[in-house]
Amino acid sequence: MNISSSFRLWRFTFRKCLSRRLQGDTCDRYYCSKSSSTDQTRVVQLKNKLACGPSFQDFIKSSTSDKSVDVCSDEYEEYHIPECTTTARSQRVYFETYGCQMNVSDTEIAWSILQKAGYSRTHELPEADVVLLVTCSVREKAEQTIWNRLKHLTALKKRCQKHKPLLKIGVLGCMAERLKTKLLEQEKLVDVLAGPDAYRHLPRLLSLAYGGQRASNVLLSLEETYADVMPVHQTPEGHSAFVSIMRGCDNMCSYCIVPFTRGRERSRPLSSILEEVRMLSDQGVKEVTLLGQNVNSYRDFSEQHFICSEGSTQLSRGFKTVYRTKQGGLLFSDLLDKVSQIDPDMRIRFTSPHPKDFPDEVLQLIQERRNICKQIHLPAQSGSSRVLHAMRRGYTREAYLDLVENIREIIPRVSLSSDFITGFCGETEEDHQQTLSLVREVGYNVGFLFAYSMRKKTHAYHRLQDDVPAPVKQCRLEELISVFREEAAKVNMALIGSTQLVLVEGESKRSSEELCGRNDGNVKVVFPKTDLPVQPEKPQMVPVTLGDYVLVKITSANSQCLRGHALIHSSLNDRKTSEHLLSKQTI
């Protein structure tokens, strides 16, 4: 008999006995008195006994400490598990975040939930009572990094057992969902596991952990968007922030594990997104990045009139999907329109999009709005149509190049970035050369390049052969990186002599005498630290601080950054005026 069944049997027996006694059951020789005052006294005594009897937590504590608890199991009804313990108020949480920007956003959501439950946060590991790793499963290398870190933390926990016996370690995010059994039961490296859709349960999971259990909830949801949870943004000096607008993915690319670790696609209500962006604007945030696994397929069905609207999915020309065309709802163009109107001096970016979801109305909106960055992430993954078909990307090389041409026609000065995978199943040398030629033909500013690693649960794992040897993958990756840097250097060098509006992020990593930031195209810009005028015609000089916009004249460039000297303080609204006045001064 398990602990839940034991507790229920005890509760049922006690209550049945109590009921019989309150009714004056003649079979009970102890409670046959007809005296009403005596009965009332006995009723009070019995109620006190019931209230003081063992609780569900007492049954948990009597079980073995190695047993794990899944709070989603029917055995553990929700009302048996406390929201948080009294010790939560004194517990300090330390987060480590790995992987993509979505994990940064998830960290802010998880911290918001724990903060409301009474926890405090520390940025120093030795001070922590709870260590939570927000993890990534997209690539094998990312998982291996986290495995190594968990082993280090487990060893640290054993060493600190005397002065910190209650230290708990938890894994959140994609890795928690994918490797629950290994993490919790086989390796026994963690006390708590919470999947991407289970952060609301963190206080309960930690309560169980402090009761001596290993607790988990990794169930995926068709509805969870954390729309009512206001993230606690941890942005440096508040100059930029990530805003999650949707979760999950429906594309089912054959190499990708995201649909299996983050679930199906669902969008956060537009009203809650606008509320968060307004709050960030009021706090002085100068740049917001809209986040999602497939951010530009956003579709809000939160209100009835949205569901009944006639809007339908409009794909980029030459692209297709594995799922049926979706109908109704507010589209990404509607969201982008509303967000960009909140603060004209706040930059708007978005990532990561899918090339299929770039209809002309989205591109035209980007071109028209001054505060929507003229930079588009356009993941290609491969330059070979044959490999793209095996990847189930829904387009050919030719369709992708047609989209690039259309984007540059509508947004002439656009900056492009991309993702590429080398060594996918069945990739030949000819396929690899086609990828290199695509990079040369398009010319990207920024790239994210990886060697393929097979992931369980994916279509490729079940249907394809990982037949490209690891040394070949690595060789091709190195060649791709080399070509990519050559082309990026050409694209960046074309900006020498131009004036770029830069949002200052802080000091350069290489010198405290230099500042760095990013331009509209999301390329790093480095320039000497100096005081600058606020207006060209006025001599007053003001120091440059984090979150300032400054105009920088570009004097040199390489594949990874631009260099120049700052001219003047500016803003998105004042840029053209400042440039015009500066040009008159030069003349």
Side-chain angles (χ1 to χ4, degrees), residues 65 86 163 166 175 183 212-213 255 284 294 358 361 452 468-469 524 526 559:
S65 60
T86 54
H163 66 275
L166 297 179
M175 197 168 164
L183 282 166
Q213 304 302 300
Y255 57 83
N294 187 20
F358 276 111
E361 55 263 35
Y452 174 67
V468 180
K524 184 186 291 185
V526 179
S559 63

Side-chain angles (χ1 to χ4, degrees), residues 58 110 183 201 221 260 266 281 311 370 522 545 577 584 587:
D58 293 314
L183 282 166
H201 293 275
S221 169
F260 305 98
R266 65 272 188 200
S281 175
R370 187 178 299 171
N522 207 27
T545 60
T577 303
K584 292 178 78 173
I587 294 172

Side-chain angles (χ1 to χ4, degrees), residues 365-381:
L365 184 62
I366 295 171
Q367 172 59 18
E368 290 168 6
R369 296 293 162 83
R370 187 178 299 171
N371 62 336
I372 302 178
C373 291
K374 308 303 181 282
Q375 179 258 327
I376 292 177
H377 187 61
L378 207 62
Q381 307 300 357

Side-chain angles (χ1 to χ4, degrees), residues 356-545:
K356 68 180 175 60
D357 291 312
F358 276 111
D360 286 357
E361 55 263 35
V362 171
L363 300 174
Q364 288 164 357
L365 184 62
I366 295 171
Q367 172 59 18
E368 290 168 6
R369 296 293 162 83
R370 187 178 299 171
N371 62 336
I372 302 178
C373 291
K374 308 303 181 282
Q375 179 258 327
I376 292 177
H377 187 61
L378 207 62
Q381 307 300 357
S382 175
S384 164
S385 293
R386 193 185 69 80
V387 174
L388 288 170
H389 177 73
M391 289 178 167
R392 302 210 298 184
R393 290 290 288 172
Y395 55 87
T396 62
R397 173 193 177 97
E398 291 73 25
Y400 183 89
L401 287 172
D402 286 345
L403 175 60
V404 170
E405 183 180 354
N406 189 47
I407 289 173
R408 285 183 165 151
E409 183 177 338
I410 296 175
I411 313 171
R413 298 167 64 183
V414 69
S415 297
L416 298 178
S417 58
S418 192
D419 297 339
F420 283 94
I421 297 172
T422 63
F424 185 67
C425 305
E427 182 188 71
T428 64
E429 181 61 28
E430 182 183 351
D431 295 324
H432 173 60
Q433 291 300 323
Q434 289 184 41
T435 297
L436 298 182
S437 71
L438 181 72
V439 171
R440 292 188 179 102
E441 187 168 350
V442 175
Y444 303 96
N445 295 80
V446 180
F448 303 92
L449 318 176
F450 306 97
Y452 174 67
S453 58
M454 180 76 81
R455 315 310 290 144
K456 290 183 179 180
K457 297 185 179 181
T458 62
H459 175 83
Y461 179 80
H462 292 290
R463 301 293 179 86
L464 303 176
Q465 293 291 323
D466 187 8
D467 53 2
V468 180
V472 175
K473 288 180 184 178
Q474 188 61 34
C475 182
R476 290 177 181 174
L477 177 60
E478 290 171 2
E479 188 176 6
L480 179 59
I481 291 172
S482 177
V483 171
F484 205 102
R485 285 180 175 173
E486 287 176 12
E487 298 306 314
K490 293 177 185 177
V491 172
N492 290 342
M493 286 174 68
L495 297 175
I496 294 175
S498 68
T499 303
Q500 300 290 314
L501 184 67
V502 176
L503 178 61
V504 180
E505 297 177 348
E507 290 184 351
S508 169
K509 292 181 180 179
R510 295 188 177 182
S511 172
S512 60
E513 298 302 314
E514 293 182 323
L515 295 173
C516 72
R518 293 188 179 270
N519 68 353
D520 186 89
N522 207 27
V523 178
K524 184 186 291 185
V525 181
V526 179
F527 55 94
K529 186 185 294 185
T530 183
D531 293 350
L532 297 176
V534 177
Q535 296 180 9
E537 64 274 14
K538 293 185 179 181
Q540 183 184 4
M541 307 294 280
V542 177
V544 178
T545 60

Side-chain angles (χ1 to χ4, degrees), residues 120-247:
S120 60
R121 185 170 182 177
T122 178
H123 294 281
E124 302 296 331
L125 180 58
E127 297 177 357
D129 302 294
V130 180
V131 179
L132 297 178
L133 276 58
V134 186
T135 63
C136 174
S137 271
V138 172
R139 283 172 291 278
E140 185 177 356
K141 185 178 179 181
E143 280 193 0
Q144 191 56 52
T145 299
I146 295 161
W147 277 116
N148 295 337
R149 183 58 172 159
L150 280 173
K151 290 174 183 177
H152 171 77
L153 289 172
T154 304
L156 178 67
K157 181 179 178 180
K158 289 178 181 178
R159 291 198 303 270
C160 299
Q161 216 157 21
K162 287 185 179 180
H163 66 275
K164 194 166 286 196
L166 297 179
L167 178 65
K168 302 300 176 186
I169 300 172
V171 168
L172 315 184
C174 297
M175 197 168 164
E177 194 283 331
R178 199 178 88 78
L179 297 169
K180 170 191 169 183
T181 302
K182 189 173 182 180
L183 282 166
L184 204 65
E185 298 170 12
Q186 295 177 10
E187 301 288 342
K188 296 181 180 179
L189 294 175
V190 300
D191 305 290
V192 167
L193 283 177
D197 295 339
Y199 300 142
R200 293 181 191 274
H201 293 275
L202 274 173
R204 296 173 181 170
L205 294 170
L206 287 169
S207 292
L208 287 171
Y210 281 113
Q213 304 302 300
R214 299 180 188 274
S216 71
N217 182 345
V218 295
L219 290 184
L220 295 175
S221 169
L222 293 174
E223 299 177 348
E224 181 63 85
T225 63
Y226 300 106
D228 60 328
V229 177
M230 188 60 70
V232 180
H233 293 281
Q234 298 289 318
T235 56
E237 300 296 327
H239 75 271
S240 65
F242 296 116
V243 174
S244 176
I245 68 167
M246 63 175 301
R247 304 180 73 83

